[in-house]
Amino acid sequence: MRKLGLALLVLALAGGSTLGLAACGSSSGGKEGGTLTGSYASFPEYLDPALAYSTESWTAIYDTYLPLLTYAHASGAAGSKVIPGLAVGLPKISNGGKTYTLTLRKGLKYSDGTPVKASDFPASVERMLALESGGSSFYTSIVGAEKFAETKQGNVSGIKADDKTGKIVVDLTAPRGTFSNELAMPFVALLPKGTPVKNLTADPPPATGPYEIVKSEPGRAWSYERNPQWTNANGKLMPEIPGGHVNKIELKVVGNDSTQVSEVERGKTDWMQTAISADLYPKVKEKYEGTQFRVEPTVSTYYFWMNTTKPPFDDLKVRQAVNYAVNPAALERIYAGTLSALHQVLPPGMPGHKPFDLYPHDMAKAKKMIAEADPSDRDITVWTDNESPNNEAGEYYQGVLQELGFNAKFKEINAENYAPLVGNESTPDLDTGWFDWFEDYPHPNDFFQLQLSGESIQPTSNYNLARIDDPTLNKKITELNEQPLGPQQEAGYAELDREYMEQAPWAPYGTLTTSTFVSSAIDLDKVIYNPTFGNDLTSFQLK
């Protein structure tokens, strides 16, 4: 997922909580009910499922907006399993892999009491495309979707929905080996037909999951209550999805990570999902590991992107020189033991990952290559978000570029605004900067299509920040994704990884571990860390 950053949630037990009935599927012998309060390090960039595309946002909406399919509420590899969501079962795939048939569960309701209809699915897909969502290119293989995305007129002809029977048929232009995964992404979570085609972060739409967002103050705070339709309807129809333990969740933005750590230690808050800063990490880990602290693996790649469409990074030799100049070992120190060096696109844990390093650190070689390239434009802007240690990584990168002879200006942006800003073609001086990517689903296409395929470049919500558009490599991405994933395809993705690194649109430097840190009031053993959505709100339970 594209996902940006590590600032997730910090939850806390509110004083004076009231107990309530447990939701369907939540009984586990612990305390039920109560109110959790807390904070994010930065406000999610979107609370609208059609637009949400960061770890912050996906954690916030995982238990709120449900697609036809979803992901199992489990940690580790089990959490990457696609399971039925609003649909009765997994899709029937026919027509050589080009037709997907699903059936909506009967009796589902949105949190405002509106019945969920099969026709809400095509309406939700069309709304997402009309909003130019960052996830649009996952769905342009649906017949008629690409034309609709361009014209925003008519409808997506490749989706047929029957409200009477609940049957939904999706026709693709070509087989797509990842389409079941993509049907489980929040971009296509069902919303009522007629939902306004605008960003609804400030006024989130009705929910289908166990919780609904009842108040949103962008930049400051938001809160949840139980979806009143969960106990009466939805929860009984979807027993595979847990109903959660608490009755309310109240969140606010607290940007100081040392304050967050202190409040968890003192029991004022009960969950810090923000990545603990480098200076505090060793202390917290040593004192609380096994009781309140747990290291969580991620499938992620951290990198510096270079805009390949404009000087100086339109020169391959310059991009390769930057790769030689960046020292992953130095960045490991900046991330204080939470990052392992990586110099390629696919991270460990992703099918197709085969370790290699085309650019072992060599500053002398990098300087020589820059001298040979002799770029005429040496004035560049380096972009990063303001969350530690990403901002420190950006400062390190600025120093590397200055050592190579560039006049590198540093631009630090609030994390909640960073992805929309650098993904907008109208933003000036988009030369180079920091980014990260966490898996949306356990398939290597996820790391290539949106970030490196030319067809994914778009005016807004763009995640191909290098703006690389190589016809040969574009074709390989498409061809590989039309095939079921197996050993031959994994080998193909490993080769594709090397071919992209030969073009050097990025300077990758690491893959991350993150952490779960809770107060003594939370049962750490029950807390789920899903590899796609992060900590699962339904799994937090007061002792």
Side-chain angles (χ1 to χ4, degrees):
M1 96 204 68
R2 85 223 257 4
K3 297 175 200 149
L4 172 66
L6 293 170
L8 303 173
L9 296 173
V10 182
L11 298 178
L13 175 62
S17 306
T18 58
L19 297 180
L21 293 175
C24 293
S26 66
S27 179
S28 61
K31 182 177 179 181
E32 300 296 331
T35 300
L36 292 168
T37 65
S39 64
Y40 268 57
S42 59
F43 197 87
E45 92 279 43
Y46 297 111
L47 291 177
D48 185 320
L51 295 170
Y53 204 7
S54 70
T55 304
E56 294 91 338
S57 293
W58 279 21
T59 299
I61 66 174
Y62 180 35
D63 300 304
T64 306
Y65 299 106
L66 300 182
L68 292 171
L69 306 178
T70 188
Y71 285 91
H73 289 249
S75 299
S80 293
K81 180 183 178 182
V82 175
I83 64 171
L86 301 184
V88 172
L90 297 177
K92 177 185 176 183
I93 304 172
S94 58
N95 189 26
K98 293 193 292 184
T99 298
Y100 285 66
T101 303
L102 306 99
T103 302
L104 184 72
R105 299 180 198 255
K106 294 181 179 180
L108 295 169
K109 292 184 178 181
Y110 294 101
S111 54
D112 64 357
T114 302
V116 181
K117 298 180 180 180
S119 58
D120 293 341
F121 176 69
S124 298
V125 172
E126 289 161 4
R127 176 178 180 271
M128 179 269 301
L129 293 170
L131 287 170
E132 298 180 352
S133 164
S136 294
S137 70
F138 287 124
Y139 309 98
T140 50
S141 59
I142 299 173
V143 172
E146 190 167 2
K147 181 180 179 182
F148 180 87
E150 292 172 358
T151 65
K152 299 179 177 61
Q153 294 180 352
N155 53 50
V156 176
S157 59
I159 305 177
K160 303 294 187 223
D162 187 326
D163 286 339
K164 186 175 181 179
T165 64
K167 185 177 180 181
I168 298 169
V169 180
V170 183
D171 287 314
L172 306 181
T173 57
R176 187 168 176 83
T178 54
F179 196 63
S180 289
N181 296 99
E182 290 148 1
L183 285 172
M185 296 168 77
F187 300 119
V188 289
L190 272 65
L191 300 176
K193 190 174 182 179
T195 298
V197 184
K198 64 179 183 178
N199 176 13
L200 294 179
T201 296
D203 185 20
T208 50
Y211 292 106
E212 63 170 331
I213 300 172
V214 293
K215 185 177 181 181
S216 175
E217 301 173 76
R220 296 183 56 197
W222 72 106
S223 57
Y224 306 77
E225 292 180 3
R226 288 199 186 279
N227 176 353
Q229 300 301 326
W230 187 259
T231 300
N232 296 330
N234 298 1
K236 296 174 182 177
L237 295 169
M238 295 182 284
E240 308 95 332
I241 298 173
H245 302 285
V246 299
N247 291 337
K248 296 181 180 180
I249 305 168
E250 297 178 355
L251 304 175
K252 62 182 180 180
V253 174
V254 175
N256 188 308
D257 56 343
S258 63
T259 299
Q260 293 177 352
V261 169
S262 174
E263 290 187 348
V264 171
E265 288 184 308
R266 292 185 288 117
K268 186 175 180 181
T269 61
D270 283 298
W271 175 32
M272 177 181 173
Q273 207 219 36
T274 304
I276 297 173
S277 61
D279 57 331
L280 297 173
Y281 183 86
K283 170 194 165 187
V284 172
K285 186 174 186 291
E286 180 181 2
K287 188 173 182 180
Y288 296 105
E289 188 167 24
T291 56
Q292 295 174 228
F293 176 92
R294 187 175 68 207
V295 176
E296 311 284 6
T298 73
V299 181
S300 61
T301 301
Y302 278 58
Y303 62 91
F304 302 117
W305 52 269
M306 291 168 274
N307 190 335
T308 62
T309 67
K310 55 187 289 191
F313 299 116
D314 58 349
D315 187 330
L316 174 60
K317 185 169 283 189
V318 171
R319 300 196 302 270
Q320 290 175 330
V322 170
N323 270 273
Y324 280 115
V326 169
N327 184 3
L331 287 148
E332 282 183 319
R333 292 190 290 272
I334 289 172
Y335 282 80
T338 63
L339 182 119
S340 297
L342 182 75
H343 225 156
Q344 61 189 102
V345 175
L346 291 177
M350 178 57 63
H353 170 76
K354 185 176 180 180
F356 68 91
D357 185 0
L358 298 183
Y359 308 103
H361 177 59
D362 190 334
M363 181 59 80
K365 184 171 185 176
K367 289 181 177 179
K368 182 180 178 182
M369 293 178 72
I370 292 294
E372 292 170 353
D374 192 21
S376 57
D377 185 358
R378 292 178 181 252
D379 294 328
I380 57 178
T381 301
V382 177
W383 297 78
T384 188
D385 77 14
N386 65 340
E387 290 183 1
S388 177
N390 302 329
N391 53 357
E392 296 159 36
E395 290 171 353
Y396 161 79
Y397 182 47
Q398 177 194 26
V400 167
L401 293 171
Q402 289 173 336
E403 190 172 348
L404 289 176
F406 292 101
N407 175 27
K409 176 184 176 183
F410 190 63
K411 195 88 169 178
E412 185 176 304
I413 305 299
N414 285 337
E416 62 201 65
N417 300 321
Y418 183 71
L421 190 66
V422 297
N424 191 320
E425 288 299 292
S426 66
T427 302
D429 303 321
L430 290 174
D431 299 314
T432 188
W434 168 91
F435 212 66
D436 62 15
W437 196 263
F438 290 71
E439 77 160 28
D440 298 310
Y441 47 75
H443 192 293
N445 178 69
D446 180 46
F447 277 74
F448 288 105
Q449 182 176 324
L450 255 67
Q451 298 185 98
L452 293 166
S453 172
E455 71 175 12
S456 295
I457 299 172
Q458 54 188 35
T460 61
S461 298
N462 175 46
Y463 289 94
N464 184 343
L465 300 178
R467 282 81 179 170
I468 186 169
D469 188 2
D470 185 306
T472 301
L473 299 182
N474 292 342
K475 184 179 179 183
K476 288 188 176 182
I477 290 174
T478 300
E479 290 176 345
L480 281 168
N481 196 40
E482 289 179 354
Q483 306 167 32
L485 188 63
Q488 182 179 344
Q489 289 71 34
E490 289 189 28
Y493 280 112
E495 181 182 346
L496 188 63
D497 193 349
R498 180 176 288 270
E499 289 174 322
Y500 267 108
M501 286 311 302
E502 288 171 352
Q503 295 297 314
W506 301 351
Y509 63 84
T511 185
L512 202 78
T513 60
T514 188
S515 59
T516 296
F517 184 37
V518 300
S519 77
S520 58
I522 295 293
D523 188 340
L524 177 63
D525 291 338
K526 292 180 180 177
V527 176
I528 290 171
Y529 186 87
N530 183 280
T532 294
F533 294 92
N535 288 121
D536 183 348
L537 297 180
T538 64
S539 68
F540 282 79
Q541 187 170 23
L542 303 174
K543 292 180 179 178

